[in-house]
């Protein structure tokens, strides 16, 4: 059966070049990067080359990159590495769980957290961040691009506010890296998270940019790896893969590859909105990363549509989470003001480098008929169609 994968915000396939770069580090180059002999020197050099590649992608110094086990750990390290009891943190209501649940944990540990709302387009208003500042504010953590809608946040404006107030600024850029150009100085952030498997690198590896001079407490104690900011023998093959993925991401951005992806994404939106009634794009009027669209299909359970499309070979996703047996609508979409039923009726299509125009055609042929079939089963839709 033919399968098309449009869930690249969940995870991207490893590019063959990335796998090729990693392969020797599973076999002949096995040394511990901390060892001083030849085998260690070989893997140390590979780790440092990868660090340079990641730094080039973010336009920072190699020494400012800390390798982690992924985006979640990078987010946690940024937050727990800086914030302690009595501190105040500013974050948003649309953060990924890696930031949101870390901040909720802080609330239970004697910290105060201000949750900044978003508007109907899915964006934080920087003046709300300004107003939320307090004398004990230690950290602002606002994501760069939302994982569900792709909406970009006004991070340079927030960076300016943070700098003026002398408060640390962390941005979770896991869904922005490789999709838009990043310059940490232009953003004005002190910390920035990224993840390998969102940029066609391996799962289980990520990085945190830590601006020079930032005093960050480690979360994991052990040896003096990563300049004592993250103990543990380096995941050399993973780090090499992340470095290669970063190099390819930068080359793709420079070539303008993402323009093609944006055109495919726009075609998905146009065709669905034209061909299927009572649909719309969540976050349509905001600046967005080029690979993501989040579309609501009223009178449908998003989960049911995901399953029906999967049975026909198309992989997409909802932002909904199953908690205690009930499907909770996405916290991101409800924060944007969507009614819970519309939030539950929303699907995310997210493209990757491997997707083709032909795959878009395949999926666009499937979606309208699948939606129509599910709506036939919906008493609410039928009443509406009958005009009652
Ligand atoms: N932050 C955002 C915005 C994400 O989309 C994700 C993953 O979906 C993460 C953090 C967590 O990254 P990882 O899967 O590498 O732990």
């Amino acid at each position: 059966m033919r399968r098309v994968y449009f869930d690249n915000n969940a995870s991207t396939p490893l590019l063959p070049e990335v796998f090729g770069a990693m392969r020797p580090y599973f076999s002949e180059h096995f040394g511990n990067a901390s060892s001083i002999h030849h085998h260690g020197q070989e893997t140390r050099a590979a780790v440092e080359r990868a660090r340079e590649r990641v730094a080039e992608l973010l336009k920072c110094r190699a020494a400012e990159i800390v390798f982690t086990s992924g985006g979640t750990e990078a987010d946690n390290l940024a937050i727990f590495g800086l914030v302690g009891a009595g501190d105040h943190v500013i974050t948003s209501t649309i953060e990924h769980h890696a930031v949101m649940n870390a901040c909720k944990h802080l609330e239970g540990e004697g910290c105060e957290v201000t949750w900044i709302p978003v508007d109907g387009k899915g964006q934080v208003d920087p003046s709300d961040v300004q107003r939320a500042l307090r004398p004990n504010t230690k950290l602002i953590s606002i994501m760069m691009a939302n994982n569900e809608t792709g909406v970009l946040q006004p991070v340079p404006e927030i960076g300016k506010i943070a700098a003026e107030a002398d408060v640390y600024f962390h941005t979770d850029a896991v869904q922005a890296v490789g999709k838009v150009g990043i310059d940490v100085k232009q953003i004005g952030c002190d910390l920035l998270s990224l993840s390998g498997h969102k940029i066609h690198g391996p799962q289980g590896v990520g990085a945190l940019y830590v601006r020079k001079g930032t005093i960050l407490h480690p979360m994991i104690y052990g040896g003096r790896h990563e300049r004592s900011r993250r103990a543990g023998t380096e995941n050399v093959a993973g780090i090499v893969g992340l470095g290669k993925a970063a190099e390819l991401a930068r080359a793709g951005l420079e070539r303008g590859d993402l323009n093609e992806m944006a055109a495919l994404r726009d075609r998905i939106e146009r065709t669905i909105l034209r061909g299927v009634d009572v649909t719309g794009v969540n976050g349509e009027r905001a600046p967005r990363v080029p690979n993501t669209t989040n579309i609501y299909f009223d009178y449908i359970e998003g989960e049911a549509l995901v399953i029906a499309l999967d049975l026909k070979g198309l992989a997409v996703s909802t932002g909904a989470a199953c908690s205690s047996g009930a499907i909770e609508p996405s916290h991101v979409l409800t924060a944007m003001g969507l009614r819970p039923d519309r939030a539950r009726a929303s699907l995310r299509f997210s493209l990757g480098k491997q997707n083709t125009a032909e795959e878009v055609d395949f999926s666009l042929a499937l979606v309208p008929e699948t939606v129509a079939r599910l709506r036939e089963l919906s008493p609410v839709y039928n009443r509406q169609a009958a005009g009652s």
Side-chain angles (χ1 to χ4, degrees), residues 12-326:
T12 51
L14 201 71
L15 287 173
E17 300 95 308
V18 174
F19 186 51
M22 292 171 71
R23 198 199 300 262
Y25 296 90
F26 289 115
S27 49
E28 64 256 43
H29 305 318
F30 55 83
N32 183 322
S34 299
S35 300
I36 56 173
H37 48 59
H38 165 80
H39 303 274
Q41 287 172 26
E42 222 169 37
T43 47
R44 168 59 50 207
V47 166
E48 297 316 317
R49 269 196 306 274
R51 203 184 302 280
E52 278 161 24
R53 298 293 99 81
V54 174
E56 279 161 11
L57 182 63
L58 306 182
K59 300 198 169 52
C60 67
R61 301 173 216 209
E64 293 173 314
I65 297 297
V66 178
F67 290 118
T68 66
S69 66
T72 300
E73 187 190 328
D75 285 343
N76 275 257
L77 179 57
I79 294 166
F80 296 120
L82 281 176
V83 181
D87 289 335
H88 172 237
V89 177
I90 299 172
T91 188
S92 83
T93 51
I94 57 155
E95 297 298 313
H96 186 271
H97 287 107
V99 167
M100 195 169 83
N101 287 338
C103 289
K104 281 187 183 164
H105 180 78
L106 285 177
E107 285 182 314
E109 300 283 302
C111 296
E112 287 177 304
V113 178
T114 301
W115 301 89
I116 304 290
V118 293
D119 60 17
K121 293 184 299 188
Q123 283 189 301
V124 164
D125 179 347
S127 63
D128 286 342
V129 175
Q130 175 86 56
R131 272 193 297 275
L133 287 167
R134 297 185 196 167
N136 63 335
T137 306
K138 186 70 176 266
L139 174 70
I140 299 170
S141 180
I142 306 274
M143 70 196 327
M144 187 162 176
N146 183 265
N147 42 301
E148 291 185 33
T149 60
V151 170
L152 287 157
Q153 300 302 318
V155 283
E157 285 84 344
I158 297 168
K160 272 196 206 89
I161 292 168
E164 275 161 25
D166 201 16
V167 166
Y168 288 113
F169 176 36
H170 164 244
T171 189
D172 173 345
V174 165
Q175 295 290 353
V177 170
K179 298 171 188 166
V180 290
I182 301 216
D183 178 337
V184 289
K185 284 176 205 72
Q186 195 246 328
I187 297 170
C189 57
D190 303 287
L191 304 121
L192 180 146
S193 310
L194 63 92
S195 171
H197 72 114
K198 311 292 184 176
I199 59 166
H200 298 275
Q203 297 178 347
V205 64
L208 181 66
Y209 155 75
V210 183
R211 191 166 64 83
K212 187 168 183 266
T214 307
I215 296 168
L216 193 75
H217 299 289
M219 281 199 308
I220 299 172
Y221 289 87
R224 293 165 66 183
H225 310 86
E226 299 296 296
R227 296 169 185 254
S228 297
R229 293 171 295 193
R230 203 280 186 181
T233 299
E234 291 88 345
N235 166 12
V236 177
I239 289 170
V240 167
L242 175 59
K244 188 68 187 175
E247 180 189 326
L248 296 171
R250 181 162 159 251
L253 283 166
E254 279 169 7
R255 275 197 309 268
D257 290 359
L258 278 295
N259 298 335
E260 260 167 61
M261 196 184 278
L264 290 181
R265 188 272 311 270
D266 292 348
R267 186 146 70 85
I268 293 177
E269 285 181 354
R270 265 198 322 273
T271 313
I272 291 180
L273 263 52
R274 232 185 265 145
V276 188
D277 63 347
V278 273
T279 51
V281 175
N282 298 315
E284 186 178 19
R285 286 175 302 117
R288 287 179 291 152
V289 288
N291 81 318
T292 309
T293 182
N294 191 302
I295 300 178
Y296 65 81
F297 297 85
D298 279 353
Y299 309 108
I300 274 189
E301 275 299 332
E303 299 283 290
L305 184 52
V306 167
I307 293 164
L309 290 172
D310 189 45
L311 289 172
K312 293 182 177 176
L314 176 63
V316 293
S317 76
T318 65
C322 189
S323 78
S324 47

